[in-house]
Amino acid sequence: MPPLASSAPLPPAAALAEAQRLLDAGLPFQAHEVLEAVWKSPETDPGERGLWRGLAQLAVGVTHLARGNVKGGVAVLRRGAANLIPYADRPPHGVAVPGLLAWVDLRIADIGRAHPGLPCITARTAPADGGPRLVG
């Protein structure tokens, strides 16, 4: 599916519903575009920009992971989560911020188990990530 043609952002409730529909359809990049349009809109409440930025970053992080860019995907998921943290106690628009933060933590942990650090062949001590030490 190509990017959305509309450059006008949707109202918050509609943007969240559309982004979720796109995520459910396996189209995280398109969901990112919907969320990014709200984030960058001059009409968006400045106090909510971090929320929309964080949501857009989560969607683009999922896009990176789907395309095989594990390192980039994890980095963007972490940035997205960091942008959502300030909204955890009082999430605007009914956004499930605590659930999203927990989801990011679980995904990153899953990725870490699926893609462990490479062994350090010449180090005298174990690598910082706890990977195996083959020599030393």
Side-chain angles (χ1 to χ4, degrees), residues 19-97:
Q20 187 65 62
R21 184 189 72 75
L22 291 163
L23 287 168
D24 292 344
L27 301 167
F29 183 77
Q30 288 78 6
H32 157 263
E33 288 196 335
V34 169
L35 298 164
E36 184 178 60
V38 179
W39 157 29
K40 294 185 174 183
S41 171
E43 296 158 15
T44 296
D45 178 344
E48 293 181 2
R49 286 199 194 285
L51 174 82
W52 295 102
R53 181 179 185 184
L55 294 172
Q57 287 171 319
L58 293 186
V60 84
V62 171
T63 300
H64 282 294
L65 293 175
R67 293 177 179 171
N69 179 2
V70 175
K71 185 176 180 178
V74 167
V76 178
L77 287 177
R78 284 187 174 134
R79 284 196 304 270
N83 278 301
L84 293 178
I85 288 172
Y87 302 95
D89 291 336
R90 292 178 147 193
H93 310 290
V95 174
V97 173

Side-chain angles (χ1 to χ4, degrees), residues 102-119:
W103 179 87
V104 169
D105 287 343
L106 287 172
R107 292 300 71 76
I108 290 174
D110 289 346
I111 290 165
R113 285 188 291 278
H115 300 278
L118 296 175

